[in-house]
Amino acid sequence: MRVLIVEDEHRLAQAIAAGLTADGFTVDTAPDGAEGLWKATEQAYDVIVLDIMLPKVNGYDVVKRLRAEQLWTPVLMLTAKDGEYDEADALDLGADDYLTKPFSYVVLLAHLRALIRRGAPARPVILSAGDLVLDPATRRCARGEQEISLTPREFALLEFLLRRHDQVVSKSDMLANVWDEFYEGDPNIVEVYIGYLRKKIDAPFGRASIQTVRGVGYRLLSDGG
């Protein structure tokens, strides 16, 4: 497994690299966002560890440019910041996971392994179900000509369901992929956000695109309801 670490704190980058190398990973490092962006576009990686506060090009811009170029390598964002808005910004721009410094190496490794297990499947530019359209690149959602405003979490949940349209998706799968594999909050948060989505993408249009499969999970219909 090949990992790129983009981190300007030299000692931290070297410590992570040494640990991952000892665990059998092939590791490259970059001390700033410009070099990290260049390496990420020139080499194939299984996962990228990306700091937010970087010289030359910050981590937000790096992940934004990667996604704009249709490069879907899983990205774990690292930052000394702590707050839901920083996390929301990172996820909204296309990051796959988020870890706040300081962190333990064991937790970092677990996050990386989870991202690698998920992989980076090819993603179509625009997702749709009937007249329901979602564009991950521009973060746009619409029903026909009607624009729909979604929060980052609502957008991520709808994207997850659209990529698996007509499939029954379990609550645990949604928690692991839309929140994270280590989420320890109330699992009923899934029902709450399904409700939010229904109020935005279905109710105003007289549709019922998201079906509840009792005892199993949810299904988004490919015809858009």
Side-chain angles (χ1 to χ4, degrees), residues 4-103:
L4 173 62
I5 301 169
V6 188
E7 170 61 68
D8 63 325
E9 295 181 36
H10 179 72
R11 292 175 63 183
L12 176 59
Q14 291 305 307
I16 295 172
L20 292 176
T21 300
D23 280 314
F25 292 84
T26 298
V27 182
D28 292 337
T29 61
D32 58 66
E35 183 175 332
L37 183 60
W38 178 79
K39 286 186 175 180
T41 54
E42 292 295 316
Q43 302 286 338
Y45 293 97
D46 294 287
V47 67
I48 298 171
V49 178
L50 178 65
D51 191 22
I52 290 180
M53 303 302 292
L54 290 168
K56 299 184 180 180
V57 180
N58 66 46
Y60 290 132
D61 286 337
V62 170
V63 74
K64 184 177 180 179
R65 293 187 198 181
L66 290 176
R67 298 317 187 219
E69 294 181 25
Q70 305 296 302
L71 294 173
W72 302 108
T73 307
V75 172
L76 173 66
M77 299 287 277
L78 299 180
T79 182
K81 292 183 177 183
D82 187 11
E84 61 182 12
Y85 291 106
D86 299 314
E87 179 177 358
D89 286 341
L91 297 174
D92 195 29
L93 289 170
D96 299 275
D97 202 356
Y98 183 95
L99 199 57
T100 302
K101 300 175 184 176
F103 51 83

Side-chain angles (χ1 to χ4, degrees), residues 143 197-210 224:
R143 271 274 192 195
L197 280 181
R198 284 171 167 159
K199 289 178 181 178
K200 291 186 176 183
I201 69 172
D202 283 345
F205 307 94
R207 306 294 183 83
S209 65
I210 303 176

Side-chain angles (χ1 to χ4, degrees), residues 149-167:
S149 177
L150 299 176
T151 67
R153 189 74 72 184
E154 291 166 353
F155 194 99
L157 180 57
L158 181 56
E159 180 179 354
F160 184 73
L161 291 171
L162 278 169
R163 293 190 186 282
R164 295 155 181 80
H165 60 74
D166 287 336
Q167 299 178 30

